[in-house]
């Protein structure tokens, strides 16, 4: 079995989705067959609570629980592109540790 591609999932606010798509497109990461800019996203509810050692930049008090609407962007890239994709996500994501997953796609 070959693993040439990974599915990327990243959680972020909707206003960052188009910037993410543009950055990934500039590097040629969103091609699929005869299409480019291939990225999808869905809105859903995200629940989290900052831990006591969370950054002071958090906008919610430590004692608060947070339920917010976020988006999950999904796209695929080649496995050798993962480090560059991670850098793009880290550079534009407002959180210091964005939630992102890289899931192998079996051929």
């Amino acid at each position: 079995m070959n693993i040439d591609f990974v599915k990327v999932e990243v959680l972020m606010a909707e206003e960052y989705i188009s910037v993410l798509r543009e950055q990934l497109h500039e590097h040629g990461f969103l091609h699929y067959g005869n299409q480019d800019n291939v990225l999808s996203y869905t809105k859903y509810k995200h629940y989290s609570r900052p831990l006591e050692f969370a950054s002071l930049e958090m906008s919610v008090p430590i004692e608060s629980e947070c339920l917010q609407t976020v988006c999950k962007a999904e796209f695929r890239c080649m496995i050798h592109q993962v480090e560059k994709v991670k850098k793009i996500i880290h550079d534009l994501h407002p959180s210091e540790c964005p939630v992102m997953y890289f899931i192998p796609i079996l051929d």
Side-chain angles (χ1 to χ4, degrees):
M1 251 184 271
N2 265 351
I3 299 175
D4 296 326
F5 291 92
V6 295
K7 175 184 175 186
V8 182
E9 297 180 356
V10 59
L11 306 184
M12 60 179 28
E14 188 170 19
E15 60 262 22
Y16 294 99
I17 300 289
S18 62
V19 177
L20 174 66
R21 184 191 50 76
E22 290 168 9
Q23 289 287 315
L24 293 168
H25 173 70
E26 282 181 22
H27 289 87
F29 296 155
L30 298 180
H31 287 271
Y32 190 88
N34 293 326
Q35 301 177 40
D36 68 1
N37 285 285
V38 180
L39 178 145
S40 62
Y41 74 94
T42 53
K43 293 181 185 180
Y44 68 100
K45 299 291 184 183
H46 173 72
Y47 178 83
S48 65
R49 182 178 62 188
L51 297 173
E52 62 186 53
F53 53 83
S55 169
L56 296 176
E57 298 169 8
M58 298 289 294
S59 59
V60 225
I62 298 299
E63 301 81 31
S64 297
E65 296 175 347
C66 183
L67 178 63
Q68 54 185 266
T69 301
V70 295
C71 292
K72 177 171 66 172
E74 301 177 85
F75 57 95
R76 75 171 199 164
C77 70
M78 296 190 78
I79 197 158
H80 72 271
Q81 298 169 327
V82 166
E83 290 307 313
K84 182 64 177 169
V85 169
K86 279 184 185 179
K87 181 172 179 2
I88 290 170
I89 293 168
H90 276 287
D91 288 349
L92 71 89
H93 202 285
S95 171
E96 63 187 39
C97 62
V99 176
M100 58 182 144
Y101 303 104
F102 294 86
I103 304 160
I105 299 173
L106 302 177
D107 288 337

